[in-house]
């Protein structure tokens, strides 16, 4: 059996001793010289063997009574040596013969320095605030200095198309023409003729930046034709007039940065927009005829009732309801049920049990290219797909009558009567226009009026705000949307006949959150009138047949009040859906988009008709401002508070191609254009001529986009020259001063 060399016998002496001849013996051998080794079996040899077989003892830890008794370590010695080298005075070769006494170390070097205080980002002390202010000022100064360093030196591009020398020449020519045009605007501003909007007048640094941006864009994008393109651009600037320069500056990124609103924190809502039309209230009222729907006949298919149904038609509709034994289709769950207008023997108002429905309308999810499976419409109230059982249950089924004859059978329609002495507002002023909104609830006679609110336009002051006692028995006040609850009807006070309503008290001031405050008192109860006829009478007391009446989806409000009115303005028409009627934008969306105002945020408490009426009126003010800028650019003006059309020429500012023979005719064409656009849709194909309410002239979208990109200046100038007969392109003061 062969053993490998291991350490198993390393502690056992070799039996052969010094006479062992093996090269790699597995036993232990004493390698000390023979003459110094002790005799075998001696006490010293046994002690050595015992010491080798036992493990080494641990080193005893030395403890010191005081820290001063501990000797310095090697690191301490090195640290002390370096400290001596630092404090050692430097030798001066030139003054080696002179011996100067060593100066003592100043106390400031030996004094311990405390670390700076930690801050949590909130500058609470004046010292920290002053330091932050100084730092921000220095940062602003540095940024200004960096901005001021930019000179008329072409910027570096990956592939230089013409060389630095030629690019410098072109850049100087571009800058010279831009400076000339900017100087023309400065001279006009100094004369006081026009107050230009901030951002149109450029300083020297901004002119250099604009020229550098223009030249760099051409050098990067034009390549081999860079020279020809930049020469054409310089020639276009030489031919450009002051007004054309304003149009171009408004399309640049420099103007956008200067006029951009300050940045907001993520999630912060937009502040409400301040509506500034540049007109007085009377002048705003004078613009309204351009937005009025003069002919409501094309809209009859969408629920508008331009003329009252006859008594024969109303009688036929009542007879048909009686013959059907009052069977209706539920407006919520689409179930067929029977209505008992005066209750049946069991005291019921409707048959077929309770109504299970979804209170919210179904939503159609948008599909994308990544969607491969089906996407079914669902109800946002419970996120259940269409076809599932309703998530809400009510005691009675409800219905809604929509045909004019059926509505007239319940309450006859009324043409707006002639009013020689219309009522005035709370300040004794005659009302120029009225914005109103209605809320409806379900009764045994269908959907009836339960609240009517009207405000003056454009002031937005309350004229009428009353609850209405319906003609039928109430089935459901539709409180989730109408905002009228049973307790509101129960606590309402009788309406006192008066010419002007008493204003509501202002809301109580908001107390500081640190102080304990009681909840705000509930709003005062609304007055209530006995019938829809009385509410309609209150509304008509402020109207004449020529007073503009403003509303959102106004056909619903007019049908609820049974009023046929000839002079209406509907925000659904002036802000049309791209796909046309019957699709329409909601008032909440329009208010958020054009007013940056959040309305209808009551949730389960429903809407507020006073809030909706004021938002509708403000939307019309936005459109009035846009319309006035177009009309003023076309030559319309106010003379003695009266809007006067252009005396000669074509009314191109509003997109018309007809001679102006009178204000009434032009207003009718404008209003008809609004209705046609709302019905057919607002989307037009690229390249088609734009006219009507939204065009400032007969320009195509392709030309406008080229002007916006800054690549169509020559075409833009040629078009302006053709229209003006070669003269200077005239822009309205509203365009120069406004948005």
């Amino acid at each position: 059996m062969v053993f490998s060399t291991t350490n198993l016998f390393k502690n056992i002496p070799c039996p052969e001793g010094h006479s062992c001849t093996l090269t790699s013996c597995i036993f232990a051998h004493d390698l000390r010289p023979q003459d110094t080794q002790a005799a075998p079996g001696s006490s010293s040899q046994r002690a050595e063997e015992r010491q080798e077989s036992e493990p080494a003892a641990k080193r005893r830890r030395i403890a010191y009574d005081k820290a001063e008794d501990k000797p310095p370590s090697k690191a301490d010695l090195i640290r002390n040596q370096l400290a001596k080298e630092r404090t050692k005075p430097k030798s001066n070769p030139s003054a080696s013969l002179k011996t100067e006494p060593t100066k003592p170390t100043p106390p400031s070097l030996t004094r311990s320095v405390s670390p700076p205080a930690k801050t949590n980002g909130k500058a609470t002390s004046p010292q920290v605030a002053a330091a932050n202010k100084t730092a921000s000022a220095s940062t602003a100064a540095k940024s200004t200095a960096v901005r001021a360093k930019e000179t008329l030196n072409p910027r570096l591009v990956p592939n230089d198309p013409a060389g630095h020398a030629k690019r410098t020449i072109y850049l100087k020519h571009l800058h010279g023409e831009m400076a000339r045009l900017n100087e023309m605007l400065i001279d006009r501003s100094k004369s006081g003729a026009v107050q230009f909007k901030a951002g149109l007048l450029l300083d020297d640094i901004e002119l250099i930046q604009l020229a550098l941006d223009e030249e760099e864009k051409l050098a990067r994008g034009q390549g081999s034709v860079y020279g020809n393109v930049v020469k054409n651009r310089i020639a276009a600037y030489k031919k450009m007039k002051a007004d054309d320069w304003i149009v171009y500056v408004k399309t640049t990124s420099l103007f956008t940065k200067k006029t951009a609103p300050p940045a907001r924190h993520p999630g912060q809502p937009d502040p409400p927009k301040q509506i500034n039309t540049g007109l007085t209230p009377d002048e705003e009222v004078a613009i309204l005829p351009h937005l009025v729907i003069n002919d409501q006949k094309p809209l009859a298919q969408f629920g508008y009732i331009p003329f009252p149904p006859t008594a024969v038609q109303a009688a036929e509709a009542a007879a048909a309801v009686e013959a059907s034994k009052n069977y209706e289709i539920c407006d919520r769950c689409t179930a067929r049920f029977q209505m008992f207008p005066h209750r049946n023997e069991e005291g019921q108002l409707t048959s077929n049990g309770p109504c299970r429905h979804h209170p919210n309308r179904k939503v159609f999810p948008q599909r994308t290219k990544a969607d491969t499976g089906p996407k079914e419409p669902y109800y946002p109230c419970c996120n259940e797909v269409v076809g599932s059982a309703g998530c809400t249950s009510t005691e009675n089924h409800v219905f809604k009558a929509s045909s004019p004859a059926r509505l007239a059978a319940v309450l006859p329609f009324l043409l707006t009567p002639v009013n020689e002495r219309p009522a005035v507002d709370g300040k004794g002023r005659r009302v120029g226009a009225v914005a109103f909104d209605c809320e409806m609830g379900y009764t045994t006679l269908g959907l009836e009026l339960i609240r009517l609110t009207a405000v003056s336009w454009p002031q937005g002051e309350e004229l009428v705000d009353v609850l209405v006692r319906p003609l039928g028995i109430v089935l459901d006040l539709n409180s989730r949307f109408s905002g009228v609850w049973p307790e509101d009807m129960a606590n309402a006070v009788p309406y006192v006949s008066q010419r002007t309503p008493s204003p509501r008290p202002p809301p109580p001031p908001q107390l500081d959150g640190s102080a304990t405050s009681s909840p705000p008192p509930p709003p005062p109860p609304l007055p209530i009138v006995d019938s829809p006829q009385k509410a309609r009478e209150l509304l008509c007391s402020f109207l004449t047949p020529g007073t503009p009446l403003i509303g959102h989806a106004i056909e619903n409000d007019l049908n609820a009040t049974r009023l046929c009115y000839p002079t209406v303005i509907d925000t659904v028409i002036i802000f049309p859906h791209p796909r046309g009627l019957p699709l329409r934008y909601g008032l909440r969306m329009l208010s958020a988009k054009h007013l940056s105002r959040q309305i209808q945020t009551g949730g389960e408490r429903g809407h507020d008709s006073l809030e909706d009426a004021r938002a509708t009126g403000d939307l019309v003010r936005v459109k009035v401002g846009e319309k006035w800028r177009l009309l003023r650019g076309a030559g319309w003006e106010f003379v003695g508070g009266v809007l006067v059309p252009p005396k000669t020429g074509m009314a191109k500012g509003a997109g018309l191609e007809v001679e102006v023979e009178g204000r009434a005719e032009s207003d009718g064409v404008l209003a008809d254009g609004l209705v046609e656009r709302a019905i057919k849709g607002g989307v037009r194909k690229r390249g088609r001529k734009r006219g009507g309410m939204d065009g400032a002239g007969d320009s195509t979208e392709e030309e406008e986009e080229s002007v916006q990109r800054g690549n169509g200046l020559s075409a833009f100038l040629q078009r302006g020259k053709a229209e003006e007969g070669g003269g200077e392109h005239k822009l309205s003061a509203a365009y120069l001063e406004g948005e």
Side-chain angles (χ1 to χ4, degrees):
M1 186 173 182
V2 180
F3 292 91
S4 60
T5 303
T6 63
N7 293 330
L8 297 177
F9 307 98
K10 199 65 177 175
N11 295 328
I12 301 175
C14 181
E16 296 294 330
H18 296 283
S19 61
C20 180
T21 59
L22 296 177
T23 305
S24 300
C25 183
I26 63 176
F27 296 97
H29 287 268
D30 191 2
L31 301 179
R32 291 180 301 174
Q34 186 177 1
D35 53 356
T36 61
Q37 291 181 357
S42 62
S43 60
S44 61
Q45 184 178 3
R46 289 194 299 270
E48 291 176 359
E49 291 177 357
R50 185 172 61 251
Q51 186 176 2
E52 290 180 0
S53 61
E54 295 178 358
K58 294 184 178 180
R59 187 173 59 179
R60 186 171 61 87
R61 183 177 182 180
I62 302 174
Y64 299 95
D65 297 337
K66 298 181 181 179
E68 292 80 1
D69 298 340
K70 183 179 180 179
S73 63
K74 191 174 183 180
D76 295 335
L77 295 176
I78 296 174
R79 192 181 300 108
N80 295 336
Q81 184 179 0
L82 292 176
K84 291 179 181 179
E85 292 294 334
R86 292 194 197 97
T87 57
K88 186 177 180 180
K90 296 182 180 180
S91 60
N92 190 359
S94 61
S96 59
L97 300 178
K98 300 179 181 179
T99 58
E100 296 181 357
T102 304
K103 296 182 180 180
T105 304
S108 60
L109 295 180
T110 59
R111 185 172 63 248
S112 61
V113 180
S114 60
K118 296 182 179 181
T119 60
N120 59 353
K122 298 180 180 179
T124 56
S125 63
Q127 293 81 2
V128 177
N132 293 342
K133 186 175 181 180
T134 304
S136 61
S138 62
T139 304
K142 290 180 182 179
S143 62
T144 305
V146 172
R147 179 170 168 259
K149 288 180 181 179
E150 207 167 22
T151 58
L152 287 176
N153 188 21
R155 296 170 180 167
L156 295 177
V157 294
N159 298 317
D160 197 327
H164 184 271
K166 287 187 177 181
R167 289 182 60 195
T168 304
I169 296 174
Y170 295 146
L171 178 61
K172 290 182 178 180
H173 281 288
L174 283 173
H175 177 264
E177 295 301 327
M178 291 179 177
R180 177 185 65 83
L181 294 169
N182 186 67
E183 191 66 27
M184 294 173 63
L185 297 189
I186 295 176
D187 294 340
R188 289 177 62 181
S189 178
K190 290 180 180 179
S191 63
V194 178
Q195 296 296 328
F196 289 99
K197 185 179 179 180
L200 292 178
L201 301 180
L202 309 178
D203 56 20
D204 296 339
I205 299 176
E206 292 171 345
L207 284 172
I208 293 175
Q209 183 181 355
L210 189 61
L212 289 172
D213 293 342
E214 182 84 4
E215 195 276 337
E216 181 186 8
K217 181 180 179 181
L218 297 178
R220 288 178 178 272
Q222 300 302 329
S224 59
V225 296
Y226 161 80
N228 294 334
V229 175
V230 73
K231 289 177 184 177
N232 292 337
R233 187 61 55 85
I234 295 171
Y237 283 126
K238 288 183 179 180
K239 298 177 183 179
M240 189 178 291
K241 304 300 181 181
D243 291 344
D244 298 322
W245 168 252
I246 293 172
V247 176
Y248 173 68
V249 170
K250 285 193 172 185
T251 63
T252 60
S253 60
L254 180 63
F255 177 82
T256 304
K257 293 178 181 178
K258 292 180 66 176
T259 57
R264 302 184 309 277
H265 298 289
Q268 182 180 359
D270 295 338
K273 294 181 180 178
Q274 298 295 331
I275 305 173
N276 183 14
T277 60
L279 301 171
T280 64
D282 293 337
E283 291 174 344
E284 291 185 14
V285 174
I287 301 293
L288 283 183
H290 293 270
L291 305 178
V292 168
I293 305 173
N294 288 341
D295 187 8
Q296 301 180 25
K297 292 180 181 179
L299 299 173
Q301 55 181 325
F302 304 111
Y304 289 79
I305 302 177
F307 302 105
T310 62
V312 176
Q313 294 173 338
E316 292 177 354
V321 172
E322 185 178 357
S324 66
K325 297 183 181 180
N326 290 319
Y327 274 95
E328 306 288 351
I329 301 297
C330 183
D331 193 34
R332 291 173 171 173
C333 65
T334 67
R336 190 168 182 267
F337 70 99
Q338 186 178 14
M339 177 67 66
F340 307 114
H342 305 288
R343 297 184 183 271
N344 60 359
E345 294 79 2
E346 300 176 359
Q348 296 178 347
L349 293 172
T350 61
S351 64
N352 202 6
C355 175
R356 292 184 56 86
H357 64 281
H358 296 278
N360 292 348
R361 296 179 180 178
K362 57 185 176 183
V363 175
F364 295 88
Q366 295 183 355
R367 295 183 60 86
T368 61
K369 294 182 179 179
D371 296 332
T372 56
K375 274 196 171 184
E376 299 181 1
Y378 65 95
Y379 293 103
C381 52
C382 58
N383 293 328
E384 294 291 338
V385 297
V386 174
S388 60
C391 59
T392 304
S393 178
T394 56
E395 182 181 358
N396 300 307
H397 295 278
V398 295
F399 76 99
K400 173 186 176 181
S402 57
S403 66
R406 179 79 182 273
L407 294 174
V410 176
L411 178 65
F413 279 80
L414 176 69
L415 283 173
T416 307
V418 177
N419 190 1
E420 298 180 356
R421 296 182 58 189
V424 295
D425 60 6
K427 297 182 179 180
R429 298 171 301 190
R430 183 172 178 177
V431 179
V434 175
F436 89 118
D437 185 70
C438 297
E439 302 294 345
M440 283 74 77
Y442 292 102
T443 71
T444 55
L445 298 178
L447 196 63
E448 289 196 67
L449 178 68
I450 58 175
R451 183 179 177 183
L452 185 144
T453 304
V455 297
S456 62
W457 190 92
Q459 295 83 4
E461 297 180 0
E462 178 186 335
L463 299 176
V464 178
D465 191 7
V466 294
L467 297 176
V468 182
R469 200 180 303 278
L471 300 177
I473 301 175
V474 175
L475 296 175
D476 190 348
L477 290 175
N478 202 22
S479 304
R480 184 185 180 96
F481 301 101
S482 66
V484 179
W485 294 82
E487 54 268 23
D488 297 331
M489 302 291 286
N491 299 329
V493 297
Y495 178 79
V496 179
S497 178
Q498 52 185 356
R499 296 295 289 178
T500 57
S502 58
R504 296 187 189 179
Q510 297 293 332
L511 301 178
D512 189 4
S514 59
T516 58
S517 59
S518 59
L526 289 174
I528 187 170
V529 294
D530 296 334
S531 64
Q533 296 93 320
K534 181 61 177 179
R536 182 174 61 187
E537 179 183 345
L538 292 176
L539 175 64
C540 293
S541 65
F542 296 94
L543 302 176
T544 64
T547 304
L549 187 60
I550 301 169
H552 179 79
I554 198 171
E555 78 280 4
N556 297 321
D557 303 321
L558 291 176
N559 295 346
T561 56
R562 305 298 196 271
L563 183 64
C564 294
Y565 197 77
T567 313
V568 296
I569 299 174
D570 196 344
T571 51
V572 168
I573 301 298
I574 61 179
F575 294 98
H577 193 279
R579 295 170 60 183
L581 292 174
L583 298 179
R584 58 188 67 188
Y585 289 123
L587 182 61
R588 181 177 181 179
M589 190 280 294
L590 291 177
S591 178
K593 178 179 180 181
H594 299 281
L595 303 177
S596 296
R597 183 188 308 172
Q598 302 299 326
I599 63 172
Q600 300 178 357
T601 57
E604 297 292 335
R605 295 302 301 173
H607 302 172
D608 184 1
S609 58
L610 182 61
E611 179 186 52
D612 294 351
R614 285 171 174 163
T616 303
D618 290 342
L619 286 172
V620 175
R621 290 193 64 203
V622 172
K623 186 60 67 174
V624 164
E626 297 176 1
K627 174 53 60 180
W628 167 238
R629 284 191 287 272
L630 296 177
L631 293 176
R632 189 172 183 180
W636 293 65
E637 60 182 350
F638 281 99
V639 178
V642 179
L643 185 61
V644 179
K647 296 181 180 179
T648 58
M650 310 292 286
K652 296 181 180 180
L656 300 179
E657 294 290 345
V658 296
E659 278 191 40
V660 178
E661 298 180 355
R663 176 178 168 187
E665 179 181 353
S666 59
D667 292 349
V669 175
L670 287 170
D672 292 343
L674 276 176
V675 175
E676 182 180 358
R677 183 185 177 195
I679 294 177
K680 294 184 178 179
V683 177
R684 291 175 171 81
K685 295 182 180 179
R686 293 175 57 86
R688 292 183 58 189
K689 294 205 170 183
R690 301 176 61 183
M693 297 302 296
D694 294 336
D698 293 334
S699 61
T700 63
E701 293 182 1
E702 293 175 352
E703 291 179 358
E704 292 178 359
E705 290 178 1
S706 63
V707 172
Q708 298 244 341
R709 291 193 304 266
N711 296 330
L713 290 175
S714 301
F716 179 77
L717 291 174
Q718 292 175 3
R719 184 169 58 86
K721 183 177 180 181
E723 290 181 355
E724 300 294 337
E728 184 177 354
H729 182 63
K730 301 294 183 181
L731 293 180
S732 63
Y735 182 81
L736 303 179
E737 302 174 8
E739 298 180 358

